[in-house]
Coordinates of all heavy atoms in Angstrom, one line a residue:
M318 N 21.2 -108.5 10.7 CA 21.3 -107.6 9.6 C 22.8 -107.1 9.6 O 23.3 -106.5 10.5 CB 20.4 -106.4 9.9 CG 19.4 -106.3 8.8 SD 18.7 -104.7 8.7 CE 17.5 -105.1 7.6
P319 N 23.4 -107.5 8.6 CA 24.8 -107.0 8.4 C 25.0 -105.5 8.1 O 24.1 -105.0 7.5 CB 25.4 -107.9 7.2 CG 24.1 -108.3 6.4 CD 23.0 -108.3 7.4
R320 N 26.0 -105.1 8.7 CA 26.2 -103.7 8.5 C 27.0 -103.4 7.3 O 27.9 -104.2 6.8 CB 26.9 -103.2 9.7 CG 26.1 -102.4 10.6 CD 26.9 -101.6 11.4 NE 26.4 -101.2 12.6 CZ 27.3 -100.6 13.4 NH1 28.5 -100.6 13.2 NH2 26.8 -100.1 14.5
G321 N 26.9 -102.2 6.7 CA 27.7 -101.8 5.6 C 27.4 -102.6 4.3 O 28.2 -102.6 3.4
D322 N 26.3 -103.2 4.3 CA 26.0 -103.9 3.1 C 24.9 -103.1 2.4 O 23.7 -103.5 2.4 CB 25.6 -105.3 3.4 CG 25.5 -106.1 2.1 OD1 26.1 -105.6 1.1 OD2 24.9 -107.2 2.1
G323 N 25.3 -102.1 1.9 CA 24.3 -101.2 1.2 C 23.9 -101.8 -0.1 O 24.5 -102.7 -0.6
T324 N 23.0 -101.2 -0.6 CA 22.6 -101.6 -1.9 C 23.0 -100.6 -3.0 O 22.4 -99.6 -3.3 CB 21.0 -101.7 -2.0 OG1 20.5 -100.5 -1.5 CG2 20.5 -102.8 -1.2
G325 N 24.2 -100.9 -3.4 CA 24.8 -100.0 -4.4 C 25.4 -98.8 -3.8 O 25.3 -98.6 -2.6
P326 N 26.2 -98.1 -4.5 CA 26.9 -96.9 -4.0 C 25.9 -95.8 -3.6 O 24.9 -95.6 -4.3 CB 27.7 -96.5 -5.2 CG 27.1 -97.1 -6.4 CD 26.4 -98.3 -5.9
P327 N 26.3 -95.2 -2.5 CA 25.4 -94.1 -2.1 C 25.4 -92.9 -3.1 O 26.4 -92.7 -3.9 CB 26.0 -93.6 -0.8 CG 27.4 -94.0 -0.9 CD 27.4 -95.3 -1.8
G328 N 24.4 -92.2 -3.1 CA 24.4 -91.0 -4.0 C 24.0 -91.5 -5.3 O 23.3 -92.5 -5.6
G329 N 24.5 -90.8 -6.3 CA 24.2 -91.2 -7.7 C 24.6 -90.0 -8.6 O 25.1 -89.0 -8.1
G330 N 24.3 -90.2 -9.7 CA 24.6 -89.1 -10.6 C 26.0 -89.0 -10.9 O 26.7 -88.0 -10.7
G331 N 26.7 -90.1 -11.3 CA 28.1 -90.1 -11.6 C 28.3 -89.4 -13.0 O 27.4 -88.8 -13.5
P332 N 29.4 -89.7 -13.6 CA 29.7 -89.2 -14.8 C 28.7 -89.9 -15.9 O 28.5 -91.0 -15.8 CB 31.1 -89.7 -15.2 CG 31.5 -90.7 -14.2 CD 30.5 -90.4 -13.0
G333 N 28.3 -89.2 -16.7 CA 27.3 -89.7 -17.7 C 26.0 -89.0 -17.7 O 25.1 -89.3 -18.4
T334 N 26.0 -88.1 -16.7 CA 24.7 -87.3 -16.7 C 24.9 -85.9 -17.1 O 24.4 -85.0 -16.7 CB 24.2 -87.4 -15.2 OG1 25.2 -86.9 -14.4 CG2 23.6 -88.7 -14.8
G335 N 25.9 -85.9 -18.1 CA 26.1 -84.5 -18.6 C 25.0 -84.1 -19.5 O 24.4 -84.9 -20.2
R336 N 24.8 -82.9 -19.5 CA 23.8 -82.3 -20.3 C 24.3 -81.9 -21.6 O 25.4 -81.2 -21.7 CB 23.1 -81.1 -19.7 CG 22.5 -81.4 -18.4 CD 21.2 -80.8 -18.2 NE 20.4 -81.6 -17.4 CZ 19.1 -81.4 -17.3 NH1 18.6 -80.4 -18.0 NH2 18.3 -82.1 -16.6
G337 N 23.7 -82.2 -22.7 CA 24.1 -81.8 -24.0 C 24.1 -80.3 -24.1 O 23.5 -79.6 -23.4
G338 N 24.6 -79.9 -25.2 CA 24.5 -78.5 -25.4 C 25.6 -78.0 -26.3 O 26.4 -78.8 -26.7
G339 N 25.7 -76.8 -26.6 CA 26.7 -76.3 -27.5 C 26.5 -76.7 -28.8 O 27.4 -77.0 -29.6
R340 N 25.3 -76.8 -29.2 CA 24.9 -77.2 -30.6 C 24.1 -76.1 -31.2 O 23.3 -75.4 -30.6 CB 24.1 -78.4 -30.6 CG 23.7 -78.8 -32.0 CD 23.7 -80.3 -32.3 NE 22.8 -81.1 -31.5 CZ 21.6 -81.4 -31.9 NH1 21.2 -81.1 -33.1 NH2 20.9 -82.2 -31.2
G341 N 24.4 -75.9 -32.5 CA 23.6 -74.9 -33.2 C 24.3 -73.5 -33.1 O 23.7 -72.5 -32.6
R342 N 25.3 -73.4 -33.8 CA 26.0 -72.2 -33.8 C 25.8 -71.6 -35.2 O 26.3 -72.0 -36.2 CB 27.5 -72.4 -33.6 CG 28.1 -71.1 -33.1 CD 29.5 -71.5 -32.6 NE 29.8 -71.0 -31.3 CZ 31.0 -70.5 -30.9 NH1 31.9 -70.5 -31.7 NH2 31.1 -70.1 -29.7
M343 N 25.0 -70.6 -35.2 CA 24.7 -70.1 -36.6 C 25.6 -68.9 -36.9 O 25.3 -67.7 -36.5 CB 23.2 -69.6 -36.5 CG 22.3 -70.7 -36.4 SD 22.1 -71.5 -38.0 CE 20.7 -72.5 -37.7
S344 N 26.7 -69.1 -37.4 CA 27.6 -68.1 -37.8 C 27.5 -67.9 -39.4 O 27.3 -68.9 -40.1 CB 29.0 -68.3 -37.3 OG 29.5 -69.5 -37.9
G345 N 27.8 -66.8 -39.7 CA 27.7 -66.6 -41.2 C 26.5 -66.0 -41.7 O 25.7 -66.7 -42.3
T346 N 26.2 -64.8 -41.3 CA 25.0 -64.2 -41.7 C 25.1 -63.7 -43.1 O 25.8 -62.9 -43.5 CB 24.7 -63.0 -40.7 OG1 24.9 -63.4 -39.4 CG2 23.2 -62.6 -40.9
K347 N 24.2 -64.3 -43.9 CA 24.2 -63.8 -45.3 C 23.1 -62.8 -45.6 O 22.0 -63.1 -45.3 CB 24.0 -65.1 -46.2 CG 25.3 -65.7 -46.6 CD 25.2 -66.6 -47.7 CE 26.4 -67.2 -48.2 NZ 26.3 -68.3 -49.1
A348 N 23.5 -61.7 -46.0 CA 22.5 -60.7 -46.3 C 21.8 -61.0 -47.6 O 22.4 -61.2 -48.7 CB 23.2 -59.3 -46.6
G349 N 20.6 -61.2 -47.5 CA 19.8 -61.6 -48.7 C 19.4 -60.4 -49.5 O 20.2 -59.6 -49.8
A350 N 18.1 -60.3 -49.7 CA 17.7 -59.1 -50.5 C 17.3 -58.0 -49.5 O 16.1 -57.8 -49.2 CB 16.4 -59.6 -51.3
G351 N 18.3 -57.4 -49.2 CA 18.1 -56.2 -48.3 C 18.6 -55.0 -49.0 O 18.8 -55.0 -50.3
P352 N 18.7 -53.9 -48.3 CA 19.2 -52.8 -49.0 C 20.7 -53.0 -49.4 O 21.5 -53.6 -48.8 CB 19.2 -51.6 -47.9 CG 19.1 -52.5 -46.6 CD 18.4 -53.7 -47.0
G353 N 21.0 -52.5 -50.6 CA 22.3 -52.8 -51.1 C 22.3 -54.1 -51.9 O 21.2 -54.8 -52.0
G354 N 23.3 -54.5 -52.4 CA 23.3 -55.8 -53.1 C 23.7 -55.6 -54.6 O 24.4 -54.6 -54.9
D355 N 23.2 -56.5 -55.4 CA 23.5 -56.4 -56.8 C 22.3 -56.4 -57.6 O 21.3 -57.1 -57.2 CB 24.5 -57.5 -57.1 CG 25.9 -57.4 -56.5 OD1 26.3 -56.2 -56.4 OD2 26.5 -58.3 -56.1
C356 N 22.4 -55.8 -58.7 CA 21.5 -56.1 -59.8 C 22.2 -56.9 -60.8 O 23.4 -56.8 -61.1 CB 21.1 -54.7 -60.4 SG 20.4 -53.5 -59.2
V357 N 21.4 -57.6 -61.6 CA 21.9 -58.5 -62.6 C 21.1 -58.3 -63.9 O 19.9 -58.2 -63.8 CB 22.0 -59.9 -62.1 CG1 20.7 -60.5 -61.9 CG2 22.8 -60.8 -63.1
C358 N 21.8 -58.5 -65.0 CA 21.1 -58.4 -66.2 C 20.6 -59.8 -66.5 O 21.3 -60.8 -66.6 CB 22.1 -57.9 -67.3 SG 21.4 -58.1 -69.0
P359 N 19.3 -59.9 -66.8 CA 18.8 -61.3 -67.1 C 19.2 -61.8 -68.5 O 19.0 -62.9 -68.8 CB 17.3 -61.0 -67.0 CG 17.1 -59.6 -67.3 CD 18.3 -58.9 -66.8
S360 N 19.7 -60.9 -69.2 CA 20.0 -61.2 -70.7 C 21.4 -61.8 -70.8 O 21.6 -62.8 -71.3 CB 19.8 -60.0 -71.5 OG 20.0 -60.3 -72.9
C361 N 22.3 -60.9 -70.3 CA 23.8 -61.3 -70.5 C 24.4 -61.7 -69.1 O 25.5 -62.2 -69.2 CB 24.5 -60.2 -71.2 SG 24.8 -58.8 -70.2
G362 N 23.8 -61.4 -68.1 CA 24.3 -61.8 -66.8 C 25.2 -60.9 -66.2 O 25.9 -61.2 -65.2
T363 N 25.3 -59.7 -66.8 CA 26.2 -58.7 -66.2 C 25.6 -58.2 -64.9 O 24.4 -57.9 -64.8 CB 26.4 -57.4 -67.1 OG1 26.9 -57.9 -68.4 CG2 27.3 -56.4 -66.5
S364 N 26.4 -58.1 -63.9 CA 25.9 -57.7 -62.6 C 26.5 -56.3 -62.3 O 27.6 -56.0 -62.6 CB 26.3 -58.7 -61.5 OG 27.7 -58.8 -61.4
A365 N 25.7 -55.5 -61.6 CA 26.1 -54.2 -61.3 C 25.7 -54.0 -59.8 O 24.8 -54.6 -59.3 CB 25.5 -53.1 -62.2
T366 N 26.4 -53.1 -59.1 CA 26.1 -52.8 -57.8 C 24.8 -52.1 -57.7 O 24.6 -51.1 -58.4 CB 27.2 -52.0 -57.2 OG1 28.5 -52.6 -57.3 CG2 26.9 -51.8 -55.7
H367 N 24.0 -52.5 -56.8 CA 22.6 -51.9 -56.7 C 22.8 -50.5 -56.1 O 23.6 -50.4 -55.1 CB 21.8 -52.8 -55.8 CG 20.5 -52.1 -55.5 ND1 19.5 -51.9 -56.4 CD2 20.0 -51.6 -54.3 CE1 18.5 -51.3 -55.8 NE2 18.8 -51.1 -54.5
Q368 N 22.2 -49.6 -56.6 CA 22.3 -48.2 -56.1 C 21.1 -48.0 -55.2 O 20.0 -48.2 -55.6 CB 22.4 -47.2 -57.3 CG 23.5 -47.4 -58.2 CD 23.5 -46.5 -59.4 OE1 23.3 -45.3 -59.2 NE2 23.7 -47.0 -60.5
A369 N 21.5 -47.4 -54.1 CA 20.4 -47.2 -53.1 C 19.4 -46.1 -53.6 O 19.9 -45.1 -54.1 CB 21.0 -46.7 -51.8
G370 N 18.2 -46.4 -53.5 CA 17.2 -45.5 -53.9 C 16.9 -45.6 -55.5 O 16.0 -44.9 -56.0
L371 N 17.6 -46.4 -56.1 CA 17.4 -46.7 -57.5 C 17.1 -48.2 -57.8 O 18.0 -49.0 -57.6 CB 18.6 -46.2 -58.3 CG 18.4 -46.2 -59.8 CD1 17.4 -45.2 -60.2 CD2 19.8 -45.8 -60.5
P372 N 15.9 -48.4 -58.1 CA 15.6 -49.8 -58.3 C 16.4 -50.4 -59.5 O 16.6 -49.7 -60.4 CB 14.0 -49.8 -58.6 CG 13.6 -48.5 -58.1 CD 14.7 -47.5 -58.2
C373 N 16.5 -51.7 -59.4 CA 17.4 -52.3 -60.4 C 16.6 -52.3 -61.7 O 17.3 -52.2 -62.8 CB 17.5 -53.8 -60.0 SG 18.7 -54.0 -58.6
Y374 N 15.3 -52.3 -61.6 CA 14.6 -52.3 -62.9 C 14.6 -50.9 -63.6 O 14.1 -50.7 -64.7 CB 13.2 -52.8 -62.8 CG 12.4 -52.1 -61.7 CD1 11.9 -50.8 -62.0 CD2 12.2 -52.7 -60.5 CE1 11.1 -50.2 -60.9 CE2 11.5 -52.0 -59.4 CZ 11.0 -50.8 -59.7 OH 10.3 -50.1 -58.7
Q375 N 15.3 -50.0 -63.0 CA 15.5 -48.7 -63.6 C 16.9 -48.5 -64.2 O 17.2 -47.5 -64.7 CB 15.1 -47.6 -62.6 CG 13.6 -47.5 -62.4 CD 13.3 -46.2 -61.6 OE1 14.2 -45.4 -61.3 NE2 12.1 -46.1 -61.2
I376 N 17.6 -49.6 -63.9 CA 19.0 -49.5 -64.4 C 19.1 -50.4 -65.7 O 18.6 -51.4 -65.8 CB 19.9 -50.0 -63.4 CG1 19.8 -49.3 -62.1 CG2 21.4 -50.0 -63.8 CD1 20.6 -49.8 -60.9
E377 N 19.8 -49.8 -66.7 CA 20.0 -50.5 -67.9 C 21.4 -51.2 -67.9 O 22.4 -50.6 -67.4 CB 19.9 -49.6 -69.1 CG 18.4 -49.2 -69.3 CD 18.3 -48.4 -70.6 OE1 19.3 -48.0 -71.1 OE2 17.2 -48.1 -70.9
C378 N 21.4 -52.3 -68.5 CA 22.6 -53.1 -68.5 C 23.7 -52.2 -69.4 O 23.3 -51.8 -70.5 CB 22.5 -54.4 -69.1 SG 23.9 -55.4 -69.5
P379 N 24.8 -52.0 -68.9 CA 25.8 -51.3 -69.7 C 26.3 -52.0 -70.9 O 26.9 -51.4 -71.8 CB 27.0 -51.1 -68.7 CG 26.8 -52.2 -67.7 CD 25.4 -52.5 -67.6
K380 N 26.0 -53.3 -70.9 CA 26.5 -54.0 -72.1 C 25.5 -54.2 -73.2 O 25.7 -53.9 -74.4 CB 26.9 -55.4 -71.7 CG 28.3 -55.5 -71.1 CD 28.8 -56.9 -70.9 CE 30.2 -57.0 -70.3 NZ 30.6 -58.3 -70.1
C381 N 24.3 -54.6 -72.8 CA 23.2 -54.9 -73.8 C 22.0 -54.0 -73.7 O 21.2 -54.0 -74.6 CB 22.9 -56.4 -73.7 SG 22.0 -56.8 -72.3
G382 N 22.0 -53.2 -72.6 CA 20.9 -52.2 -72.5 C 19.6 -52.9 -71.9 O 18.6 -52.2 -71.8
T383 N 19.6 -54.1 -71.6 CA 18.5 -54.7 -71.0 C 18.3 -54.2 -69.6 O 19.3 -53.9 -68.9 CB 18.7 -56.2 -70.9 OG1 18.9 -56.7 -72.3 CG2 17.4 -56.9 -70.5
T384 N 17.0 -54.1 -69.2 CA 16.7 -53.6 -67.8 C 17.2 -54.7 -66.9 O 17.0 -55.8 -67.0 CB 15.3 -53.4 -67.7 OG1 14.8 -52.6 -68.7 CG2 14.9 -52.7 -66.3
M385 N 17.9 -54.2 -65.8 CA 18.5 -55.1 -64.9 C 17.4 -55.5 -63.9 O 16.3 -54.9 -63.8 CB 19.6 -54.4 -64.0 CG 20.6 -53.6 -64.9 SD 21.8 -54.8 -65.6 CE 22.9 -54.9 -64.3
V386 N 17.6 -56.6 -63.3 CA 16.7 -57.1 -62.2 C 17.5 -57.4 -60.9 O 18.7 -57.4 -60.9 CB 16.0 -58.4 -62.7 CG1 15.1 -58.1 -63.9 CG2 17.0 -59.5 -63.0
R387 N 16.7 -57.5 -59.9 CA 17.4 -57.8 -58.6 C 18.0 -59.1 -58.6 O 17.4 -60.1 -59.0 CB 16.3 -57.7 -57.6 CG 16.9 -57.6 -56.1 CD 17.8 -56.4 -56.1 NE 18.5 -56.3 -54.8 CZ 18.1 -55.6 -53.8 NH1 17.2 -54.8 -53.9 NH2 18.8 -55.5 -52.7
K388 N 19.2 -59.2 -58.1 CA 19.8 -60.5 -58.1 C 19.3 -61.4 -57.1 O 18.9 -60.9 -56.0 CB 21.3 -60.3 -57.8 CG 22.2 -61.4 -58.2 CD 23.7 -61.0 -58.1 CE 24.5 -62.0 -58.7 NZ 26.0 -61.5 -58.5
Ligands
LIG1473 ZN1 23.1 -57.2 -70.3

């Protein structure tokens, strides 16, 4: 039996066994329909800043008088 004639390099796990990762960076949080925001006129498209405590449908468009809706 010859000595030093191993079967392949000892150990294992050389380069190439890296674990993936670093994927899925969710940056850019967009505030959807939360408190605040904008109201928009469905008729002419005029947008107005939503007033807290005042629903958009209680606001009239300053241009055409149509009731605003939530953007
Ligand atoms: Zn309008």
Side-chain angles (χ1 to χ4, degrees):
M318 241 197 192
R320 253 203 202 165
D322 192 16
T324 51
T334 51
R336 300 223 151 189
R340 178 145 58 98
R342 204 169 231 214
M343 292 280 189
S344 59
T346 315
K347 268 194 181 172
D355 289 325
C356 304
V357 65
C358 171
S360 182
C361 69
T363 299
S364 59
T366 306
H367 174 71
Q368 298 176 48
L371 188 61
C373 290
Y374 52 80
Q375 285 188 7
I376 303 175
E377 287 184 353
C378 173
K380 277 193 181 176
C381 66
T383 304
T384 307
M385 312 280 276
V386 295
R387 192 62 186 256
K388 202 171 190 179

